[in-house]
Amino acid sequence: MCGILGCAGVDDAASILYEGLERLEYRGYDSAGLAVANGNTLALERVAGRVHQLNIRSLPPATYGIAHTRWATHGPPTKANAHPHQPCDASVAIAHNGIIENHAELRNALETSGHTFTSDTDTEVVAHLLEDTYDGDIVASLDTVKEQLEGTYALLAIHAEEPGVVAATRYRSPLVLGLAEQGNFVASDVVAFRAYTDQVIFLEDGDVARVTRDSYDVTPATPRTIEPQRVDWKLEEATKAGFPHFMLKEIHEQPRSIEEALVGRTNLGTFDIESNDLTLPDLACFDDAVFIACGSSYNAALAASRLFQTHANIATRVELASEYEPLEATAERTLVIAVTQSGETADTLDALRKAQNSGATTLSVTNVVGSTATRQADAWVPIRAGPEISVAATKSFTGQLNVLHLLALHLGHLRRGSSQPKIHEEMEALRHVPTLLRSLLDDTTHLDQIGRWLADHERCFVLGKGQGHAVALESALKIKEISYIHAEGLAAGELKHGPLALIEDGTPVLALAPGGTLMDSMRSSMEEVAARGAHVIALTDTREAFQDSGFETVHAPGEEPSTFPYTATVMGQVIAYYAAIERGTNVDKPRNLAKSVTVE
Ligand code: AGP
């Protein structure tokens, strides 16, 4: 997810673009750049770093331009990969948010026809296509070029021969016009220009817009009345897009972040393994896989490991990175998968080095393109969750689980693991997860109440079975790390082997009890603790399961066993969030913790 911004007719384009980028930085911050007019040429300033590292004093006075703050999806965060991008003749500058899925074939064709590329990004193909199609009208040229693009995009373009014009178009990435006295704007998010206007026009997929100092012209993809509307929130609420905390915003971003993760990956056989020499079929040759991770990423790996066994017949082991020791004897035939949101966790990187030194093939699954984990492993896969600011992992957890789920299905397809119908059925269920999460997040009142009730307790248990065990560990970790309640995640079957001694009158127990084969054994565990006075809350996806049980019950949407780990995870996140709110802790920056633990 990136932030893009264009302005036309303003007095000091470089300063206004810089200020707007700072407000968009929550959308991505691994590199940044801007382009402004300089007579009949374009002047660029780009940096492999944060917005504040841009030296805008190097730019000439200008009244229009475009800008970008990047969350890398293709190509590491270097200056050459920072947007805006230009074609060979530097006549155009382009900024992009999204993923051009067919960038490789477009790039091949452009290089064959003589274009020289200067970056590793998917975006640069658009700059060269605009150069080829330009015939005096940058908006018409963008309208033509967009027809060749597959994937998702919000695109802004300016041309040196058209002073004052910003061209814009979008498909499945947001773009909104801002109409102000000082000039007109177009951006990923209103926050970029909210300081100047509350009059906006939200573009829709396929729309093409021409923005100038005194006018805007939107060519709608489908006929509709185009007229400004007023936004009613104040700027200060906007950095969190209106949410009180980044964590709640990121919880609510999960339908979107999972949609992003699914783009281009749900047709069996197409899965983007980023590597110089390893392909998906290469990964399908391994009969053994070892996951190495920490914290939430360990829990995601534990949940996913079962899917590798079930669908791909790959024997899996999940190791805490800090405890990992490679098995030299089997290293040659082992795929070691490092799961790490930040891609910089010292324990995980250390384990990755041990795996490589032992001769194992390594794959990283991470949220940060260009992170050490992507450079150190033999191959890597981005989860595309966008920047996760809150220390507590939320969308990165479901993103990791989702990407590993997809990978298990693709490997199963190649290894003839699960039956093809089963794999297709499960892929269809994954496509449905964003809708289920949207429905769940539409009304979290009951989960809010449970969280605030839990806040009065010093300890609690979260029970699960199968993948639910991993989700129980993750929910307990969320509760622990942001509300400071001593929550323990447990495999339900383990209760009677000791932990049951801790159950007493009123002990809170959250039970992840999906319908299907796990229901009976989960119900037995719930009865066990209830008989000893526990206050049991059932989180389930079946309507009738606990009607006569006396258990407080929260229903998640969806009936597919494969979607419950996602809905159960989000229920646990919301409960943890409201427990923390009730306790008044620092939700986004809990005590003693850091977003990326780069020390051992
Ligand atoms: C989870 O909410 C925590 N932020 C923490 O456990 C985290 O998952 C762990 O430190 C691993 O981080 P990584 O995914 O960046 O490697």
Side-chain angles (χ1 to χ4, degrees), residues 45-100:
E45 164 66 9
R46 300 185 296 172
V47 68
R50 303 293 295 263
V51 170
H52 70 78
Q53 293 170 275
L54 287 168
N55 174 19
I56 59 170
R57 284 185 303 283
S58 68
L59 294 170
T63 61
Y64 77 106
I66 58 174
H68 184 280
T69 181
R70 185 170 183 238
W71 185 262
T73 58
H74 287 77
T78 60
K79 181 170 180 176
N81 287 338
H83 301 214
H85 287 288
Q86 294 194 286
C88 310
D89 69 0
S91 59
V92 173
I94 183 91
H96 169 223
N97 174 30
I99 296 171
I100 308 292

Side-chain angles (χ1 to χ4, degrees), residues 294-297 339-343 345 348 391-393 400 477-478 481 597:
C294 307
S296 284
S297 296
V339 184
T340 168
Q341 187 280 130
S342 63
T345 300
T348 306
V391 164
Q400 287 166 339
L477 176 58
K478 282 297 102 30
E481 68 177 329
V597 185

Side-chain angles (χ1 to χ4, degrees), residues 111-420:
E111 287 177 326
T112 304
S113 64
H115 285 270
T116 306
F117 280 69
T118 57
S119 81
D120 310 318
T121 66
D122 55 329
T123 302
E124 192 184 344
V125 299
V126 180
H128 294 282
L129 290 171
L130 287 171
E131 179 187 14
D132 280 354
T133 53
Y134 185 69
D135 185 14
D137 181 343
I138 186 63
V139 174
S141 179
L142 188 61
D143 193 12
T144 303
V145 165
K146 73 179 177 43
E147 298 307 321
Q148 300 180 58
L149 308 180
E150 294 169 14
T152 62
Y153 50 80
L155 290 165
L156 301 180
I158 55 176
H159 196 288
E161 293 170 14
E162 288 186 73
V165 176
V166 177
T169 190
R170 59 153 284 179
Y171 181 71
R172 289 190 56 187
S173 282
L175 266 185
V176 55
L177 304 189
L179 312 177
E181 290 301 315
Q182 301 89 331
N184 289 329
F185 297 84
V186 51
S188 307
D189 184 335
V190 174
V191 69
F193 52 70
R194 180 64 186 83
Y196 300 99
T197 182
D198 60 4
Q199 296 299 306
V200 302
I201 294 172
F202 289 94
L203 296 185
E204 296 185 11
D205 285 351
D207 289 358
V208 180
R210 174 192 303 273
V211 180
T212 63
R213 161 104 186 70
D214 303 311
S215 70
Y216 65 90
D217 173 37
V218 176
T219 304
T222 51
R224 71 177 190 278
T225 306
I226 306 274
E227 53 192 18
Q229 61 189 91
R230 196 177 70 78
V231 289
D232 59 3
W233 45 264
K234 301 282 178 292
L235 184 58
E236 57 276 8
E237 306 163 35
T239 45
K240 301 184 182 89
F243 288 93
H245 297 98
F246 277 109
M247 181 178 177
L248 191 60
K249 172 174 167 284
E250 287 151 10
I251 287 172
H252 282 262
E253 279 180 339
Q254 289 176 108
R256 183 84 192 100
S257 54
I258 287 184
E259 278 172 347
E260 285 289 336
L262 291 170
V263 170
R265 292 169 167 164
T266 57
N267 295 323
L268 287 167
T270 53
F271 190 88
D272 50 332
I273 301 289
E274 305 286 349
S275 173
N276 294 327
D277 42 32
L278 277 181
T279 62
L280 189 63
D282 294 328
L283 301 187
C285 297
F286 292 95
D287 296 326
D288 299 284
V290 178
F291 292 87
I292 53 176
C294 307
S296 284
S297 296
Y298 173 87
N299 297 333
L302 187 62
S305 61
R306 288 175 169 274
L307 300 167
F308 276 65
Q309 293 182 161
T310 309
H311 295 301
N313 288 338
I314 294 176
T316 57
R317 202 169 89 232
V318 187
E319 299 260 9
L320 288 169
S322 55
E323 295 294 320
Y324 171 71
E325 287 304 331
L327 205 52
E328 307 275 346
T330 58
E332 287 288 304
R333 63 169 191 272
T334 303
L335 175 65
V336 175
I337 303 173
V339 184
T340 168
Q341 187 280 130
S342 63
E344 301 298 348
T345 300
D347 289 334
T348 306
L349 295 178
D350 185 44
L352 195 50
R353 272 188 292 276
K354 287 178 183 174
Q356 286 175 305
N357 295 339
S358 75
T361 299
T362 55
L363 172 75
S364 291
V365 174
T366 183
N367 193 34
V368 182
V369 177
S371 61
T372 305
T374 63
R375 295 196 304 275
Q376 204 174 300
D378 298 312
W380 60 277
V381 175
I383 67 170
R384 303 182 196 151
E388 187 174 68
I389 311 297
S390 188
V391 164
T394 49
K395 63 177 182 172
S396 63
F397 176 88
T398 49
Q400 287 166 339
L401 177 54
N402 182 243
V403 166
L404 288 168
H405 199 156
L406 286 162
L407 183 55
L409 294 177
H410 282 284
L411 295 177
H413 171 66
L414 292 172
R415 292 170 52 91
R416 292 282 176 259
S418 281
S419 71
Q420 296 310 300

